[in-house]
Amino acid sequence: MLLAISGVAILGLVFVAALWAGKESDAAALDHQRKLVNGRLQDQVDRVSKDMRLMAAGFSSLLSENAVVADGGNDNSTAEAFATVATTAFGYNGTYLVTSTGELALEADAETARRYKWIRPLLLPMIRQADLKGPGQSETNPERIHVALMKLEGRPSIAGVTKVTASIEANGARTRLAQPLYLAAFRFLDGATLDALSREQGLAGARYARTADAEANEVAFQIEATATNEPIGFIIWAPDLPGSRVVARLVPLLSVAGLLIGGLFFALMARLRKSLQELGRSEDHARHLSYHDVLTGLPNRALFAERFQHCLDTLDASSGYAIVALIDLDRFKEINDTYGHPAGDELLRSVVIRLSPLFGERDMLARVGGDEFALLLPPGSAAGRALPELWEEVVSELAKPFNLRNGDIVVRIGGSIGAVTVNDRTLARSEYLRRADLALYEAKSHGRGRCVEYHEYLDTRNVEKDNLTQDLRLLLGSASDSVTQEPKGELEVFFQSVHLASDEMPLSGAEALVRWRHPHLGLLTPDMFIPIAEEAGLIDQLGEWVLRTAAIRAASWPLGITLAVNVSPSQVRRRGFGDRVLSIIKEAGLSPSRLELELTEAALFNLDHGAQETLAILRAHGIRIALDDFGTGFSSLSHLIQFNIDRIKIDRSFVSLLGSQAEGAAIVSSIIGLSRTLGKTTTAEGIETQGQRDFLIAAGCTDLQGFYFSRPMAGVDFDRIIARNEDGNTRAAHTG
């Protein structure tokens, strides 16, 4: 077996050596023929230069002796005869004596004039160059010859132009011609010239073609214009390839020997190959598992880090910049908890199938966490589109419904993106990932379903957020009392009035809104610190404080005025929330029927079965449940019935459309009609104009709220409004 393998190896080496030698021999022969053709063309150019020098000398002598011709007279027969002789003797297809403007200096017959008319624009630049002093041409040696390859009359040609210097005798003295003359001549490269070239260089079947339409056994030599380097034609011939002839004789002998030796160890090689293939597949599978996610098949965190580091190491100013983005699925945990891990796994695979077509072959989408993906766009990529357009497509695809379990389950999730531009190789990979993560947090904290690109102000905002978190923790009493801290301000509960939708618009209630009077930042609205409280785990403590503070003040209001308080999903999901609410309002002395708890659509989506039971217990005690920001989240109409919602609050974004867009009236009317059909009361938020107020009253809205009536105000100021409202009601009763 070893001898057989050795024989095959030696035979293979001989075979390869023969092929290599034949190929090298053919290449050398072909290169030699090309050099011969190129040299022959250069010889033609040099020959034209010499011919032009001789013909110019002849014309100069003729013009010096023939004053009539030189002075532009009509007696030009001698010059014409000389031109004919020069053309015939030197083998040119055309010879002309012209002026500096390219006009014929001698009278010519109609055919000659017509022919020259077509080639004159091509010769005119050469005439101008022949009049310029070039390198190596001095005043004592004014001879200037310009030779170039070009296409004339549709055929490849060598053309030459030179200045004809002559002098005539006038008044006993010889002077140069007043108007300079130029000799122009050209010779076609095809035809007789190509035949001579074929015979001299041994080019079999040489022919001229306008395009490189060589057959499989032919080669084409491109003739380029001197001025523009553009192809003006091709010389095509069948090259003599001695190496191929030798190989053609050796191949049959080597093939027979190879078959004889190959038959001896074919069976063994087949078995070895099968074993090696199995081993290779096993290694490839192990390597794939170490760098890819088993569930989705995407690259994992390790492979992404390796590719990202390589991209960072090879980054330079000339290659541009890369993009790294972190993509997080919104509400994935709820899908996993509600429908189980198999549904979550199917959802992840569906996400990959939907996102993969959006990226190019050079881009890398990797799964780096449970529901978190990382995207690397190397320099010059971005999938051939502008980044904002790409991010919008990703967000749009993730916002579409996903069908799970063969369509039995339809879910909506959405996604948030944090992106960072990678343009500085001195920064560590971890720093870029931190920036992308910071941008992702910014996207998720501002409503999700969007992309945020990193900017330096995010770091500043992050520091400010950390400071606010610490301040809020100290303010709520979570920090150690042994540490002395400077004052962190105080929390206040503001109230915004709610009015019945009638002509008199009496005061019907108020919504409690928390404010933070910070010692350095001034009065902070909820959107500036509620997300911080949720992230820091302080929202339950803060929400309880707001409910207690608002309930204590509302207990002193007239019985007809209700109190609305916002609660977060984490509060409702917390065990004992219902008992805690009932305990707080009991301590405050507030009747349950006067309390209304507001939850957003997103909050309803996140509530489990235990939270539903808590809300049912609170409703059984008389507390009402309101759905805030209706129509802006991902909830469905089934939540109105499932959670036994008492009130629907029409979002301010719809109310603001009233009076400006026709769609606004249709949307608001539909919500009010739906609420009336289901037996729910409605509150319209964000009313700022009388027109909006009148429309909502006419549409049948139950309650109204907005800046048109009052802005959120401190509890003391709201007590004054209640007092004025009571006085007005008393006077109205007496008047009645």
Side-chain angles (χ1 to χ4, degrees):
M1 186 57 63
L2 291 176
L3 290 176
I5 295 175
S6 300
V8 171
I10 294 173
L11 188 62
L13 289 175
V14 173
F15 187 79
V16 171
L19 291 178
W20 177 82
K23 184 177 180 181
E24 290 296 315
S25 177
D26 291 345
L30 183 58
D31 184 63
H32 179 68
Q33 292 181 48
R34 289 181 180 275
K35 289 181 178 179
L36 289 177
V37 174
N38 188 60
R40 183 60 177 169
L41 285 178
Q42 185 60 43
D43 291 343
Q44 291 288 333
V45 173
D46 296 340
R47 179 180 172 184
V48 170
S49 297
K50 296 177 182 178
D51 292 346
M52 294 298 297
R53 184 178 295 107
L54 294 176
M55 288 191 293
F59 271 104
S60 298
S61 177
L62 176 65
L63 294 177
S64 298
E65 295 176 0
N66 193 332
V68 176
V69 175
D71 209 19
N74 296 324
D75 187 9
N76 56 6
S77 58
T78 304
E80 291 179 353
F82 184 85
T84 303
V85 172
T87 302
T88 304
F90 289 95
Y92 285 88
N93 297 94
T95 305
Y96 306 95
L97 190 64
V98 298
T99 65
S100 59
T101 60
E103 302 293 337
L104 288 173
L106 303 177
E107 293 185 0
D109 56 73
E111 177 62 23
T112 300
R114 183 193 63 79
R115 187 179 188 187
Y116 177 73
K117 176 182 177 182
W118 290 106
I119 66 175
R120 176 179 175 271
L122 301 175
L123 295 178
L124 189 57
M126 297 178 62
I127 295 172
R128 294 170 180 168
Q129 290 183 0
D131 195 35
L132 299 176
K133 179 179 177 182
Q137 297 172 343
S138 61
E139 292 300 332
T140 59
N141 182 24
E143 184 179 64
R144 300 159 191 169
I145 301 175
H146 186 69
V147 180
L149 295 173
M150 61 174 56
K151 183 179 287 188
L152 296 176
E153 298 183 357
R155 301 168 66 182
S157 309
I158 300 179
V161 174
T162 184
K163 189 173 184 181
V164 178
T165 59
S167 60
I168 61 175
E169 185 173 351
N171 298 325
R174 299 195 70 83
T175 59
R176 288 193 176 186
L177 295 177
Q179 181 182 15
L181 298 178
Y182 300 85
L183 175 63
F186 68 89
R187 173 186 296 148
F188 295 130
L189 291 177
D190 57 356
T193 303
L194 180 59
D195 293 339
L197 177 64
S198 175
R199 290 192 302 271
E200 293 173 3
Q201 308 300 334
L203 305 181
R207 57 187 173 88
Y208 168 76
R210 296 186 178 183
T211 59
D213 56 349
E215 302 293 338
N217 61 335
E218 295 179 330
V219 295
F221 180 85
Q222 179 174 294
I223 307 174
E224 298 180 350
T226 302
T228 62
N229 293 328
E230 295 179 353
I232 59 176
F234 297 85
I235 298 176
I236 300 175
W237 74 92
D240 181 24
L241 304 176
S244 298
R245 293 198 303 271
V246 175
V247 171
R249 295 171 183 173
L250 288 177
V251 166
L253 297 176
L254 295 176
S255 299
V256 172
L259 289 175
L260 292 176
I261 298 176
L264 298 176
F265 63 96
F266 177 78
L268 176 61
M269 293 301 297
R271 168 165 283 189
L272 289 175
R273 181 182 180 186
K274 182 179 180 180
S275 300
L276 291 175
Q277 286 177 342
E278 292 176 354
L279 179 61
R281 284 193 294 267
S282 177
E283 292 178 350
D284 292 341
H285 182 66
R287 188 180 302 107
H288 181 83
L289 291 179
S290 65
Y291 282 107
H292 290 79
D293 175 53
V294 178
L295 177 62
T296 62
L298 290 178
N300 60 13
R301 182 184 294 272
L303 182 55
F304 179 82
E306 184 177 303
R307 284 279 299 274
F308 184 17
Q309 187 62 49
H310 175 73
C311 177
L312 196 59
D313 293 339
T314 57
L315 191 68
D316 54 45
S318 60
S319 63
Y321 60 89
I323 299 294
V324 169
L326 296 179
I327 305 173
D328 188 79
L329 304 183
D330 301 332
R331 294 174 294 278
F332 175 78
K333 184 178 182 300
E334 288 76 5
I335 302 298
N336 230 9
D337 295 343
T338 304
Y339 301 107
H341 290 285
D345 293 344
E346 184 182 354
L347 176 59
L348 288 174
R349 289 191 291 267
S350 300
V351 167
V352 173
I353 294 173
R354 187 173 291 183
L355 293 186
S356 295
L358 302 180
F359 310 121
E361 296 180 355
R362 297 174 56 224
D363 306 334
M364 171 180 275
L365 179 66
R367 184 188 178 200
V368 296
D371 62 341
E372 188 173 353
F373 298 85
L375 176 65
L376 174 62
L377 304 178
S381 179
R385 287 161 294 178
L387 285 176
E389 178 185 348
L390 177 60
W391 303 143
E392 184 178 348
E393 287 193 24
V394 172
V395 172
S396 176
E397 289 295 331
L398 293 177
K400 295 177 181 178
F402 287 88
N403 296 319
L404 306 178
R405 297 179 184 172
N406 297 323
D408 293 340
I409 300 174
V410 180
V411 298
R412 290 179 177 269
I413 52 172
S416 303
I417 307 173
V420 60
T421 300
V422 181
N423 54 10
D424 185 0
R425 61 183 302 177
T426 61
L427 293 179
R429 182 181 74 246
S430 58
E431 172 60 18
Y432 281 114
L433 293 176
R434 184 194 68 81
R435 293 181 176 185
D437 191 62
L438 190 61
L440 176 63
Y441 173 81
E442 182 74 7
K444 295 178 73 69
S445 62
H446 284 74
R448 302 182 179 183
R450 66 186 64 197
C451 174
V452 172
E453 297 188 16
Y454 171 81
H455 193 273
E456 291 179 356
Y457 77 85
L458 293 180
D459 276 318
T460 303
R461 182 181 297 178
N462 196 40
V463 173
E464 294 176 350
K465 184 195 73 175
D466 292 341
N467 293 336
L468 280 178
T469 301
Q470 183 66 12
D471 291 349
L472 185 59
R473 183 174 284 111
L474 293 171
L475 186 62
L476 292 173
S478 304
S480 174
D481 296 334
S482 61
V483 180
T484 302
Q485 298 284 347
E486 64 179 56
K488 302 304 177 186
E490 61 179 2
L491 294 172
E492 298 181 18
V493 176
F494 279 39
F495 299 91
Q496 186 176 26
S497 62
V498 179
H499 300 261
L500 287 176
S502 62
D503 294 337
E504 296 79 13
M505 292 177 296
L507 186 67
S508 61
E511 180 180 358
L513 304 168
V514 65
R515 297 291 188 269
W516 182 1
R517 199 172 296 277
H518 196 275
H520 304 299
L521 302 178
L523 189 64
L524 303 181
T525 55
D527 60 306
M528 300 179 68
F529 61 89
I530 291 296
I532 295 176
E534 291 177 342
E535 182 183 359
L538 301 173
I539 189 63
D540 294 347
Q541 190 175 354
L542 177 60
E544 187 174 311
W545 180 89
V546 173
L547 177 61
R548 179 183 293 105
T549 305
I552 292 174
R553 181 167 292 275
S556 62
W557 297 345
L559 297 179
I561 300 179
T562 61
L563 172 67
V565 180
N566 290 278
V567 292
S568 69
S570 64
Q571 286 180 270
V572 181
R573 287 196 299 266
R574 189 180 61 176
R575 180 175 299 179
F577 171 73
D579 295 337
R580 192 61 182 156
V581 170
L582 295 173
S583 175
I584 289 174
I585 62 175
K586 182 178 180 180
E587 293 175 4
L590 182 67
S591 171
S593 61
R594 297 178 57 197
L595 178 63
E596 190 172 273
L597 298 181
E598 295 185 0
L599 295 95
T600 62
E601 286 188 326
L604 292 182
F605 189 87
N606 295 327
L607 297 184
D608 54 16
H609 183 69
Q612 296 180 32
E613 291 182 351
T614 298
L615 294 180
I617 293 173
L618 292 175
R619 291 190 75 255
H621 283 79
I623 297 176
R624 289 172 294 174
I625 307 299
L627 181 58
D628 199 9
D629 303 333
F630 181 78
T632 61
F634 291 95
S635 184
S636 63
L637 295 179
S638 63
H639 287 101
L640 297 178
I641 302 174
Q642 181 181 356
F643 290 94
N644 248 331
I645 299 299
D646 298 291
R647 180 184 298 273
I648 294 177
K649 300 195 71 174
I650 305 173
D651 189 70
R652 65 182 67 249
S653 61
F654 299 138
V655 174
S656 64
L657 299 177
L658 297 176
S660 60
Q661 296 185 26
E663 294 85 351
I667 293 173
V668 172
S669 298
S670 299
I671 295 175
I672 295 175
L674 173 65
S675 302
R676 186 185 303 113
T677 302
L678 296 177
K680 315 294 183 183
T681 57
T682 54
T683 299
E685 294 182 298
I687 301 173
E688 297 185 1
T689 66
Q690 182 175 347
Q692 294 171 348
R693 183 205 68 178
D694 295 343
F695 177 87
L696 291 165
I697 293 175
C701 187
T702 310
D703 295 273
L704 309 176
Q705 179 182 351
F707 288 173
Y708 177 80
F709 304 100
S710 70
R711 292 180 176 272
M713 62 187 69
V716 175
D717 297 329
F718 188 75
D719 288 343
R720 297 193 186 101
I721 291 182
I722 293 177
R724 288 197 299 269
N725 184 73
E726 287 298 305
D727 292 342
N729 292 339
T730 302
R731 286 194 297 271
H734 283 287
T735 302

